[in-house]
């Protein structure tokens, strides 16, 4: 029983993620889509937690769900989407459907055919992921200092841009 | 303990980027104190920032390396291997600074007419330049991704900068959506590269991929997704759909900037990716690049013929130029890469020059970007008409203008590596391009002027035009200095 | 424990769903959400690989991807607002002033 539980978690979360994702892109009502997106993101946060990435799981919930999806909801409320709900939802581009489905099936077929060992990756180097937050902090401020500073510039630009583009009256 | 985190070398290596950031923040702050008539001071400050950054790069071309005490072909690592400052990176840093300076010069009057003259514009443009610089010197997937996104998000904002103009809104929207989509695809490829090697450092990825067996499906998917993402950024077919719309809808000065700076930065990233991590799987991506190059030249040139909007035509011509430059990657030898580097530098001058003329055409009620607006320009303003003629000739690649030099080296490299068919096709398309560039020329010189509106050459535009013209003719007539610099640069990345 | 390839297949399926959503949807906000799905699929892939290698690089990358996603969402939604202010629709078919 001990060894089955992790797999069970994975299958449960994976199902939740896939079902929510499919529903997200098939809803007509944008608010419904956002809610199902939240469900997808929660499932992913659960998988992060499952893989000992606690910091990222927390950031996923706080930033993605608590920030980005709330922003989506704000914008949906600000603009009037009633008439969008009445339009036909899918374009008739069936050829691309076939290509996408074909590519996906090819990859899955390869996986099933070769078995789980078919995809092989580089050797694990060993090391530790714990204590998670401390190690991430060390990495961010030492190994990845430059991208970190660039991230702050990026957020500055995004803030300026959002104000310049969306503010009602700029004087 | 601080030495473990941060050394003085890191700061010195990033001097240009740090200066640009400081001046960008300075522009944001001083903008608060300026009256509407004084807003041009923002541009002055931004130009000062570019000037200081250029000064910190030392004397052309490799002053930064001499400051560090390095020889020509050396490369300096900084930030624990996240960036590598070699002559390739420094060359591109110069290019970006030139593009930024010229774009700022032509933006002043244009934004005044549009009524959107604010400091934020210059700040965002400077920060976009910082992102571009990181793209040229990055050696790590995370660093490159952040530099790419910093550049690209800044450009999205600048594209949509004219809030009240529907074309600008739409252009920004299309660009952002398709850009985010392609970033996602690029990112997926990066995740595969990480999986194949266990590291985000390009050199470690290179050695891991070279040890893989041939025909490895994971490597194949990684190559395809990364190529897809990169081709989008340079506007290659079939991911070129966003480019004409973005060029047409964006403010003229932003089109000028994004046709030169981000394109060069995207090519720097492309060269880096093909030469370092994907070097050992050249036989996988070569057919792909050849096919895309041919398709890009074809669609770029043929679609440009039917355009009546000059900016849109220049957008399709930009697509075709990307196709020519991809041929340099196909041949991949020293002359090919040298050709791409020269091409990008020259392209900066001639494209910015042409766009400067278009910016000058913007008057109170006239947008100024249709071919009809250029009718009879030679009677209204002979200077502008002749300048436009020279820039168009350079874009087509006619000697003795600078545009010829870049194409020459790329075609030479194709012949050197045996791609005769491609060389012939490319030259044929150059002939085709003459046709649509000359549509503008005939409009300027042979048609009657439809109105009396004279393009206003503000001091900023005059300066930009002067510099562009001077460099276009100088490089065309006396190309040896730039050839030598490009040659040294290429030698440093091909070793 | 579930093998690594399961995670990567899940990520691939999720990524394809995002791509499909992007290609077929007509509503702008839903297009955006499809891009978010794609980015989350990549994040999943990175965390799974990071766990496999017992290294933090993948998790750090995810951190930065989240930053980028937030910035892109902010700017994108601001553009959507400015588009909407100038024309009262969010249907992609009707936003075709710029011809393809």
């Amino acid at each position: 029983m001990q060894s089955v539980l992790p797999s069970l978690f994975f299958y449960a979360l994976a199902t939740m993620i896939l079902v929510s994702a499919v529903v997200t892109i098939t809803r007509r009502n944008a608010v419904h889509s956002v809610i199902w997106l939240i469900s997808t993101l929660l499932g992913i946060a659960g998988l992060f937690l499952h893989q000992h990435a606690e910091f990222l799981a927390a950031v996923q919930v706080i930033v993605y769900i608590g920030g980005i999806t709330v922003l989506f909801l704000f914008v949906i409320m600000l603009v009037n989407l009633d008439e969008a709900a009445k339009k036909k939802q899918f374009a008739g581009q069936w050829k691309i459907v076939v290509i996408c489905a074909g590519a996906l099936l090819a990859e899955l077929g390869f996986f099933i055919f070769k078995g789980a060992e078919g995809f092989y990756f580089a050797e694990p180097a060993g090391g530790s992921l714990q204590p998670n937050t401390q190690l991430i902090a060390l990495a961010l401020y030492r190994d990845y200092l430059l991208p970190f500073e660039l991230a702050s510039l990026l957020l500055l630009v995004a803030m300026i841009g959002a104000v310049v583009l969306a503010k009602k009256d700029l004087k | 303990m601080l030495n473990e985190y941060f050394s003085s070398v890191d700061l010195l290596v990033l001097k240009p980027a740090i200066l640009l950031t400081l001046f960008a923040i300075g522009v944001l702050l001083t903008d608060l104190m300026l009256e509407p008539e004084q807003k041009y001071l923002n541009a002055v400050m931004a130009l000062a920032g570019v000037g200081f950054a250029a000064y910190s790069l030392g004397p052309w071309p490799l002053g930064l390396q001499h400051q560090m005490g390095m020889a020509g072909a050396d490369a300096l690592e900084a930030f624990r291997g996240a960036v590598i400052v070699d002559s390739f990176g420094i060359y591109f840093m110069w290019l970006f600074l030139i593009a930024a300076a010229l774009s700022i010069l032509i933006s002043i009057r244009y934004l005044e007419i549009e009524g959107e003259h604010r400091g934020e514009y210059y700040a965002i443009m400077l920060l976009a330049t910082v992102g571009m610089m990181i793209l040229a010197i990055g050696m790590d997937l995370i660093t490159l991704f952040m530099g790419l996104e910093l550049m690209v998000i800044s450009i999205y904002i600048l594209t949509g900068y004219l809030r009240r103009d529907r074309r600008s809104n739409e252009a920004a929207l299309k660009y952002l959506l398709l850009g985010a989509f392609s970033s996602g695809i690029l990112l997926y490829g990066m995740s595969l590269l990480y999986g194949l090697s266990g590291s985000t450092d390009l050199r470690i990825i290179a050695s891991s991929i070279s040890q893989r067996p041939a025909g490895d499906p994971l490597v194949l998917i990684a190559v395809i997704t990364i190529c897809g993402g990169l081709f989008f950024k340079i506007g290659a077919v079939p991911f070129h759909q966003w480019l004409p719309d973005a060029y047409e809808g964006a403010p003229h000065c932003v089109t000028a900037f994004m046709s030169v700076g981000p394109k060069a930065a995207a090519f720097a990233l492309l060269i880096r990716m093909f030469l370092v991590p994907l070097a050992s799987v050249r036989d996988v991506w070569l057919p792909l690049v050849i096919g895309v190059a041919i398709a890009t030249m074809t669609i770029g040139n043929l679609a440009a013929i039917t355009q009546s909007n000059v900016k849109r035509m220049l957008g399709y011509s930009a697509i075709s130029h990307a196709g020519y430059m991809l041929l340099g990657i196909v041949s991949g030898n020293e002359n090919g890469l040298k050709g791409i580097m020269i091409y990008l530098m020259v392209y900066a001058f001639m494209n910015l020059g042409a766009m400067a003329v278009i910016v000058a055409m913007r008057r109170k009620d006239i947008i100024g970007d249709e071919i009809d607006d250029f009718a009879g320009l030679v009677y209204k303003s002979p200077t502008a008409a002749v300048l436009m003629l020279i820039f168009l000739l350079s874009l087509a690649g006619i000697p003795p203008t600078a545009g010829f030099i870049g194409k020459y080296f790329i075609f030479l490299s194709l012949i050197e590596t045996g791609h005769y068919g491609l060389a012939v096709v490319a030259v044929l398309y150059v002939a085709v391009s003459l046709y649509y560039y000359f549509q503008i020329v005939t409009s300027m010189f042979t048609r009657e002027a439809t109105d009396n509106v004279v393009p206003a050459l503000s001091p900023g535009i005059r300066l930009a035009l002067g510099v562009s013209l001077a460099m276009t003719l100088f490089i065309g007539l006396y190309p040896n200095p730039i050839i030598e610099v490009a040659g040294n640069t290429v030698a440093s990345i091909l070793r | 424990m579930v093998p690594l390839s399961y995670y990567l297949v899940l990520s691939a399926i999720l990524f394809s769903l995002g791509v499909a959503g992007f290609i077929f949807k007509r509503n702008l906000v839903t297009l955006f959400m499809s891009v978010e799905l794609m980015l989350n699929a990549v994040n999943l892939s990175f965390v799974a690989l990071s766990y496999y290698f017992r290294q933090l690089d993948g998790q750090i990358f995810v951190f930065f991807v989240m930053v980028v996603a937030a910035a892109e969402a902010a700017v994108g939604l601001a553009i959507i607002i400015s588009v909407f202010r100038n024309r009262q629709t969010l249907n992609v078919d009707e936003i075709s002033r710029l011809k393809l």
Side-chain angles (χ1 to χ4, degrees):
Chain A
M1 202 54 203
Q2 187 79 326
S3 59
V4 167
L5 213 49
S7 312
L8 213 55
F9 267 120
F10 171 76
Y11 287 117
L13 286 170
T15 316
M16 174 184 173
I17 291 172
L18 287 179
V19 167
S20 307
V22 170
V23 177
T24 304
I25 63 175
T26 53
R27 291 302 94 193
R28 281 192 186 184
N29 188 322
V31 178
H32 290 184
S33 286
V34 174
I35 302 299
W36 284 100
L37 180 69
I38 293 179
S39 165
T40 316
L41 296 176
L42 273 174
I44 293 185
L47 276 183
F48 284 176
L49 208 54
H50 191 48
Q51 295 180 295
H52 303 291
E54 298 100 13
F55 180 71
L56 283 179
V59 171
Q60 170 95 343
V61 173
I62 296 174
V63 169
Y64 244 115
I65 298 177
I68 297 181
T69 45
V70 170
L71 185 58
F72 272 116
L73 283 172
F74 263 112
V75 173
I76 293 175
M77 303 299 177
L78 272 175
V79 303
N80 186 4
L81 289 188
D82 283 343
E83 41 88 27
K86 297 185 196 112
K87 307 273 183 177
K88 189 170 76 119
Q89 284 303 297
F90 289 96
Q93 298 167 15
W94 293 108
K95 285 167 284 206
I96 308 189
V97 182
V98 172
I99 296 177
C100 282
L104 185 58
L105 283 175
E107 189 174 352
L108 284 177
F110 180 79
F111 167 67
I112 295 171
F113 181 67
K114 280 285 184 76
E117 291 77 36
F119 290 132
Y120 72 97
F121 304 96
E123 288 307 307
S128 172
L129 293 178
Q130 301 297 334
N132 197 247
T133 311
Q134 281 94 312
L135 285 179
I136 288 188
L138 274 176
L140 276 180
Y141 282 95
R142 187 177 49 192
D143 302 317
Y144 292 105
L145 181 59
L146 181 59
F148 187 73
E149 299 299 330
L150 291 174
S152 68
L153 286 182
L154 179 64
L155 290 172
L156 175 66
V157 169
M159 265 197 296
I160 300 173
V163 169
V164 162
L165 291 174
K167 188 161 181 271
K168 196 157 186 200
D169 194 16
L170 281 175
K171 262 300 156 249
Chain B
M1 188 184 77
L2 203 60
N3 283 340
E4 193 183 309
Y5 287 62
F6 195 57
S7 76
S8 58
V9 172
D10 299 332
L11 259 182
L12 289 174
V13 147
L14 277 193
K15 260 189 303 182
I18 294 177
L19 282 168
L20 285 177
T21 310
L22 286 174
F23 273 87
I25 298 175
V27 166
L28 284 175
L29 291 173
T30 57
D31 183 50
L32 296 170
M33 302 184 287
L34 292 176
E35 303 294 325
E37 318 80 59
Q38 298 171 321
K39 292 289 188 183
Y40 68 93
L41 290 174
N42 285 323
V44 170
M45 187 161 201
L47 278 173
V50 174
F52 276 109
Y55 180 72
S56 75
L57 271 183
W60 164 272
L62 291 174
L64 191 66
Q65 286 191 330
H66 298 146
Q67 291 170 32
M68 302 283 160
M70 296 154 56
D74 283 353
L76 188 63
E77 276 191 22
F79 286 100
R80 293 169 157 258
V83 298
I84 187 168
V85 184
D86 50 8
S87 24
F88 179 79
I90 298 179
Y91 182 84
F92 274 102
M93 285 206 253
W94 279 108
L95 209 164
F96 302 144
L97 288 176
I98 292 172
L102 291 176
S103 305
I104 292 173
L105 280 173
I106 67 180
S107 305
I108 306 174
R109 184 181 151 270
Y110 184 83
L111 290 176
E112 274 171 8
I113 294 182
E114 294 284 352
E116 300 274 3
H117 203 191
R118 277 185 291 274
E120 286 86 3
Y121 174 88
Y122 301 106
I124 297 179
M125 193 175 262
L126 289 180
L127 290 173
T129 315
V130 171
M132 295 194 275
M133 286 188 171
I134 300 296
L135 271 181
I137 60 177
M139 250 309 172
D140 174 84
L141 286 179
I142 301 183
T143 313
L144 286 173
F145 181 67
M146 289 310 294
L148 178 69
E149 290 299 320
L150 178 59
M151 167 184 95
V152 148
I153 289 185
S154 310
I155 301 293
Y156 298 155
I157 297 169
L158 290 178
T159 305
Y161 197 71
L162 303 179
R163 293 153 35 109
R164 288 174 293 247
D165 181 359
R166 285 187 180 184
R167 289 194 315 173
S168 183
N169 296 147
E170 268 179 41
L173 187 65
K174 283 193 172 131
Y175 192 8
L176 185 140
L177 281 174
L178 292 172
F181 181 70
S182 76
S183 284
I185 296 184
L186 182 66
L187 208 54
Y188 191 77
M190 286 185 177
S191 78
L192 287 176
L193 287 185
Y194 176 62
L196 289 168
S197 62
S199 160
T200 53
D201 188 304
L202 291 187
R203 290 156 292 200
I204 299 181
I205 296 174
S207 68
S208 298
I209 291 188
S210 61
Q211 289 161 15
R212 289 245 145 187
D216 188 2
L218 276 178
V219 171
L220 183 64
I221 301 178
V223 167
I224 292 179
T225 47
I226 291 199
C227 282
L230 290 174
F231 288 152
F232 174 92
K233 301 297 179 203
I234 62 174
V237 173
F239 309 110
H240 64 288
Q241 306 279 11
W242 60 274
L243 207 150
D245 290 336
Y247 277 36
E248 188 190 353
H252 301 344
C253 40
V254 171
T255 307
F257 184 61
M258 72 169 156
S259 66
V260 171
K263 168 154 288 181
F267 260 102
L269 176 65
L270 192 121
I271 294 176
R272 203 66 102 167
M273 292 299 277
F274 277 141
L275 279 185
V276 181
L278 299 181
S280 48
V281 284
R282 195 183 152 85
D283 49 333
V284 174
W285 50 257
L286 193 61
L288 199 61
V289 176
I290 292 179
V292 166
I294 297 177
T296 305
M297 286 190 295
T298 308
I299 295 202
N301 281 306
L302 293 183
I305 297 178
T306 58
Q307 301 303 319
S308 62
N309 181 300
V310 176
K311 283 203 300 182
R312 218 174 158 80
M313 178 194 283
L314 285 180
Y316 278 110
S317 102
I319 293 176
S320 68
H321 287 296
Y324 300 133
M325 286 191 267
L326 278 177
L327 291 177
I329 306 258
V330 167
S331 58
N333 66 356
E334 189 190 323
N335 274 335
L337 292 172
K338 208 158 59 168
I340 299 181
M341 311 274 286
I342 299 178
Y343 205 120
L344 285 169
M345 181 70 84
V346 163
Y347 189 70
F349 290 114
M350 58 188 179
N351 217 41
L352 276 169
M355 290 302 310
V357 175
I358 298 180
V359 167
M361 299 288 292
R362 174 88 174 94
R363 303 298 312 221
K364 216 45 181 110
D365 300 314
I366 302 172
I367 311 276
D369 57 355
E370 298 284 328
I371 295 188
D372 297 332
D373 295 327
F374 279 81
L377 190 61
V378 67
Y379 307 113
K380 294 191 282 184
S381 169
T383 333
V386 169
L387 285 170
M388 193 66 171
L389 172 68
I390 296 179
F391 292 130
L392 288 172
L393 283 175
S394 188
L395 279 170
I398 310 290
T401 58
F404 171 70
I405 309 291
K407 288 197 166 83
Y408 168 74
F409 275 102
I410 292 182
F411 296 166
L412 180 66
S413 72
L414 283 175
I415 296 181
E416 278 176 359
T417 50
H419 293 104
Y420 301 112
L422 283 177
V424 169
V425 168
V427 170
L428 282 176
Y429 278 127
V430 168
V432 170
S433 73
L434 271 172
Y435 174 70
Y436 57 79
Y437 287 131
F438 267 77
Q439 279 184 353
I440 304 179
V441 174
T442 48
S443 174
M444 288 194 298
F445 283 90
T446 64
R447 283 168 55 180
E448 292 295 316
T450 53
D451 51 42
N452 279 327
V453 176
V454 176
L457 299 174
S458 72
I461 296 183
R462 272 178 218 266
L463 185 56
L465 281 172
V467 170
S468 306
L469 177 73
M471 293 309 290
T472 305
L473 290 176
F474 175 71
I475 297 180
L477 292 168
Y478 186 54
N480 290 325
I482 192 103
I483 294 178
E484 198 182 309
V485 170
N488 291 338
T489 306
V490 168
S492 79
I493 48 168
L494 272 182
R495 69 193 149 81
Chain C
M1 213 29 211
V2 174
L4 175 63
S5 8
Y6 284 34
Y7 282 102
L8 294 178
V9 169
L10 173 63
S11 158
I13 299 178
L14 192 58
F15 190 80
S16 318
L17 283 173
V19 169
F22 186 84
I23 296 179
F24 297 122
K25 291 301 281 192
R26 283 282 160 252
N27 184 297
L28 282 176
V29 180
T30 323
L31 283 182
F32 241 106
M33 288 193 263
S34 308
V35 174
E36 297 298 334
L37 277 181
M38 287 165 61
L39 292 178
N40 272 287
V42 174
N43 283 351
L44 192 59
S45 193
F46 271 120
V47 169
L49 286 168
S50 181
Y51 182 66
Y52 173 78
F53 290 129
R54 293 287 191 274
Q55 269 185 348
L56 273 182
D57 292 340
Q59 293 188 10
I60 302 290
F61 212 146
V62 171
F63 180 82
F64 286 112
V65 171
M66 285 190 196
V67 170
V68 167
E72 241 167 22
V75 172
L77 291 169
I79 292 179
I80 287 183
I81 289 183
S82 75
V83 166
F84 181 75
R85 256 205 222 107
N86 277 328
R87 64 175 71 238
Q88 301 281 314
T89 176
L90 280 190
N91 190 295
V92 179
D93 285 328
E94 292 176 17
I95 301 179
S96 53
R97 194 188 167 97
L98 295 174
K99 58 187 190 297
L100 256 168

